[in-house]
Amino acid sequence: MMNPLIDLRSDTVTRPTPAMLEMMFQAPVGDDVYEEDPTVRALENEAAARFGLEAGLFCPSGTMTNQIAIKAHTEPLSEVICEQTSHIYLWEVGGIAFHSGASVALLAGERGRVTAAQVEAAIRPVNVHYPTTSLISLENTHNRGGGSCYALSELEAIAEVSRRHGIPLHLDGARIFNALVATGQQATEYGRLFDTISVCLSKGLGAPVGSVLLGSKAFIQKTKRIRKVMGGGMRQAGYLAAAGLYALENNVNRLADDHRRARQLGEQLAQQSYVAEVLPVETNLVIFRLKPEMPAEKFLAQLEEQGIKASSFGPQMIRFVTHLDVDDEMITRIEDALSAF
Ligand SMILES: *Cc1c(COP(=O)(O)O)cnc(C)c1O
C-alpha cells in the first residue's frame, strides 16, 4: 500500500472523523437567521461559558469573526493597534480598510508579541489631525511568530492600558486552545482580560468549518446585523456547529500531542546541515530558515517526492504544522526524509 500523504501545510487541512460526522448527522437543527437552531445556540453558549463571557456568534470563518469584531468596535476615521505581522492586517485581504474604513497602527513585536508600553505609546492623542484609537487587537498563539504564546502577566498589563484609556481589547484567538494547552493558562482569564475573542474551530480542533466570536450579550446582539450584511447569516448551520461542539468536547486536550510532535520535528530540523535557524517551538507551528545552498523550492520539491507537503513562509522560510491527521508514524517518516536530503 502507498504511504498516505503527509500534509504539514496547515492545521486547517484535517478531515472530520467518523465520530464527528456522526454527531453532525444527529444534530437537531432550525433556521439560525430566525435564531431557531438549537445546536448553534448550544455551541455559542458552550464556547462563551468556557471563557466566562456572556454570548457567542457562530460564523463560517475566523476572518469573518475578526472582521465583524473590528467593524463593531470601530468607526471610520478611527485606528486599530495591532502587531505588524498579525493575521488581521496581513492575511485578511485588507478587510480593516474595506469593511471598517479604519486605519492601522502597526507595532513591531517579538515573534508577534507586543508589550503594554508599545501599545500605550501607539494610542493617539486627541487632535484634529489624527484618527482616534478605537481598538487594540492581539493574536495568541501568534501565527507568523511561529505559534508563540503570551505570558499572562503581559496580557494583564496590556488589558490595564486598554481599560485606563477606555479602548476595547480584542483577541484573535484562532489558536487560543493551543496557547491554553501549552501554557496551562485558564480560558476564563482570557474572558476577564479581553472584551471580545475570536476562536477557530477549523484549525487544530479539527472541525471542517467555523469560528465563534465571543463577547458581552449587547456586543454580540450588535454583531448579528454585521454578520448578515457580510453574507454570513446561515440557516440549518447546526450541522456545522455540531462539529464544533464535538471538537470542544474531544479535541482540546489532545493538542498536547501536536505540540510534542512539533517539538520533535523542531529538534530534528535543528540538526540538519541545510537548516540555518529554527524558531523556538512553543505549540504546533514549526518555522525555520534554510541556508542559501538549499533553495526553498528545491527543499519543498524533495519533500513532495516523499509524499510530504509543507508551505513556504517567506524567503528561505518554511512552515510545518502538526495537527489531528499527523501521527507518530508520520513523524518518523518525516524525520527519515529530512535526514536523507
Ligand atoms: C487561520 C487564522 C484566522 C482565520 O482564518 P480563516 O481561514 O478565515 O478561518 C485568523 N487568525 C489567525 C491567526 C489564523 O491563523
Side-chain angles (χ1 to χ4, degrees), residues 76-129:
L77 312 186
S78 76
E79 186 164 79
V80 178
I81 297 175
C82 64
E83 206 272 337
Q84 62 186 1
T85 61
S86 56
H87 196 281
I88 60 164
Y89 173 69
L90 211 55
W91 283 314
E92 297 186 10
V93 211
I96 299 176
F98 183 73
H99 299 294
S100 300
S103 171
V104 282
L106 298 177
L107 305 179
E110 186 266 321
R111 289 199 293 125
R113 292 169 297 204
V114 298
T115 66
Q118 281 181 298
V119 170
E120 185 149 32
I123 295 173
R124 301 276 200 162
V126 178
N127 180 312
V128 70
H129 300 288

Side-chain angles (χ1 to χ4, degrees), residues 10-12 60-66 85-88 91-92 139-144 172-175 198 200-203 209-211 285 319:
S10 175
D11 42 8
T12 55
S61 72
T63 298
M64 190 181 280
T65 45
N66 278 330
T85 61
S86 56
H87 196 281
I88 60 164
W91 283 314
E92 297 186 10
E139 184 176 315
N140 197 26
T141 70
H142 202 283
N143 184 348
R144 187 75 215 195
D172 177 355
R175 296 190 180 84
S198 161
C200 281
L201 304 161
S202 59
K203 296 268 164 87
V209 177
S211 286
L285 309 185
R319 188 182 76 167

Side-chain angles (χ1 to χ4, degrees), residues 117-176:
Q118 281 181 298
V119 170
E120 185 149 32
I123 295 173
R124 301 276 200 162
V126 178
N127 180 312
V128 70
H129 300 288
Y130 296 145
T132 47
T133 303
S134 52
L135 182 65
I136 301 161
S137 182
L138 307 181
E139 184 176 315
N140 197 26
T141 70
H142 202 283
N143 184 348
R144 187 75 215 195
S148 53
C149 303
Y150 271 95
L152 199 60
S153 56
E154 198 59 56
L155 295 176
E156 280 169 341
I158 295 170
E160 191 278 322
V161 168
S162 111
R163 301 267 147 84
R164 186 152 40 78
H165 290 267
I167 299 166
L169 184 59
H170 173 71
L171 177 67
D172 177 355
R175 296 190 180 84
I176 185 59

Side-chain angles (χ1 to χ4, degrees), residues 2-119:
M2 272 262 294
N3 278 330
L5 177 84
I6 304 175
D7 197 340
L8 301 175
R9 288 173 303 167
S10 175
D11 42 8
T12 55
V13 300
T14 56
R15 311 255 158 76
T17 56
M20 180 182 274
L21 285 170
E22 188 54 32
M23 187 149 159
M24 294 168 73
F25 282 132
Q26 302 293 332
V29 297
D31 188 325
D32 187 51
V33 174
Y34 292 144
E35 306 193 353
E36 285 172 3
D37 190 299
T39 309
V40 170
R41 194 69 1 86
L43 171 67
E44 290 170 341
N45 291 342
E46 171 62 22
R50 291 220 181 180
F51 288 84
L53 286 164
E54 286 176 354
L57 185 79
F58 183 52
C59 291
S61 72
T63 298
M64 190 181 280
T65 45
N66 278 330
Q67 292 298 325
I68 287 174
I70 293 164
K71 175 84 183 152
H73 281 301
T74 65
E75 57 214 18
L77 312 186
S78 76
E79 186 164 79
V80 178
I81 297 175
C82 64
E83 206 272 337
Q84 62 186 1
T85 61
S86 56
H87 196 281
I88 60 164
Y89 173 69
L90 211 55
W91 283 314
E92 297 186 10
V93 211
I96 299 176
F98 183 73
H99 299 294
S100 300
S103 171
V104 282
L106 298 177
L107 305 179
E110 186 266 321
R111 289 199 293 125
R113 292 169 297 204
V114 298
T115 66
Q118 281 181 298
V119 170

